[in-house]
Amino acid sequence: MRKIIISLFCATLLAACAGKTTVVDTSSREAMAGMQAVMGLEYRDFEKAAMEAVESMLSSGAVSKPDGGRYVLAVSRITNDTMQRIDTDQLVKKIRTQLLQSGKVVVTTAVGLNGAEDPMVMKARQLRKSGEVNQNTVAQTGKIIAPDLSLSGKIIQKNISLGRNKTRVEYYVQLTLSEIETGLAFWEGETPIIKEGGKAPIW
């Protein structure tokens, strides 16, 4: 009984000492603006880079198909050339989502640098060999749509010492939208994200 009481006391004490956890409303500009900035790339930075890139693509007419249809986009390589471990898919996903919502672009998940992004697209086609599956419901050959455009890019980091233990970190999100048939760049953009802090960043 004594051990139980001590355990409960310790658990209560730890709960009291733990900091309060809150959920940040990412749809609220006021809440996001009130968050303390960090030297590394974060949610707001990807949001900014994606928004600026899509707005530039749309305003330039790069994703406006002459016949009024929709381009098919494939995602190529987004290189992380920073000191951070960045999941570049976070940036790409935001761009893809906004382009899809624009009604100008659809994204293929059947074509990627390392095979299909969604393995089920190809896996389901293996059902053609199964006598247990109604073959009228299996995806037919020649139905996958090849991409028209490819999105590639790089994220660059530069550290600049400002003296007195202050450092400026400059990030550049560089993106290119290429037409696959001709290999021509339909659009290119760069979003700078500049931060200053009291100490040199260590990652």
Side-chain angles (χ1 to χ4, degrees):
M1 189 66 181
R2 184 180 177 185
K3 290 182 178 180
I4 295 175
I5 294 173
I6 292 174
S7 297
L8 289 173
F9 175 77
C10 290
T12 304
L13 183 62
L14 287 172
C17 294
K20 183 181 179 183
T21 300
T22 59
V23 177
V24 177
D25 182 5
T26 56
S27 64
S28 168
R29 291 189 176 183
E30 291 78 11
M32 294 300 289
M35 289 179 61
Q36 184 177 359
V38 296
M39 293 291 277
L41 291 173
E42 56 175 343
Y43 178 91
R44 290 170 291 187
D45 301 320
F46 289 123
E47 191 79 31
K48 176 179 183 289
M51 183 179 65
E52 289 187 6
V54 172
E55 286 181 354
S56 179
M57 288 183 205
L58 295 175
S59 62
S60 70
V63 292
S64 296
K65 208 169 184 179
D67 62 5
R70 293 190 292 177
Y71 281 114
V72 179
L73 174 70
V75 178
S76 184
R77 182 175 289 110
I78 308 293
T79 304
N80 172 25
D81 194 16
T82 74
M83 298 178 184
Q84 293 178 252
R85 295 185 62 180
I86 297 174
D87 183 1
T88 56
D89 287 344
Q90 187 177 3
L91 170 65
V92 172
K93 180 62 75 173
K94 292 181 183 300
I95 294 174
R96 287 170 51 159
T97 300
Q98 292 184 37
L99 284 175
L100 282 167
Q101 292 175 350
S102 75
K104 301 279 188 180
V105 173
V106 291
V107 180
T108 177
T109 59
V111 180
L113 289 177
N114 300 312
E117 179 184 337
D118 183 354
M120 187 54 68
V121 174
M122 294 310 225
K123 190 73 175 176
R125 282 165 166 74
Q126 296 178 9
L127 297 175
R128 294 174 188 147
K129 304 174 184 179
S130 174
E132 300 297 327
V133 178
N134 183 341
Q135 293 300 300
N136 292 327
T137 65
V138 178
Q140 300 177 13
T141 60
K143 291 297 184 179
I144 291 178
I145 306 299
D148 305 302
L149 303 175
S150 172
L151 180 67
S152 61
K154 179 184 288 189
I155 305 175
I156 299 173
Q157 175 181 340
K158 293 181 180 180
N159 292 353
I160 302 172
S161 177
L162 301 178
R164 295 186 179 180
N165 294 326
K166 282 197 74 174
T167 299
R168 174 186 295 162
V169 183
E170 299 179 353
Y171 300 98
Y172 298 92
V173 181
Q174 301 173 335
L175 297 169
T176 299
L177 191 67
S178 302
E179 184 185 47
I180 291 178
E181 184 175 12
T182 63
L184 299 177
F186 266 26
W187 172 90
E188 288 188 315
E190 179 180 84
T191 299
I193 300 169
I194 314 298
K195 302 188 177 190
E196 291 186 4
K199 295 182 180 179
I202 299 176
W203 292 297

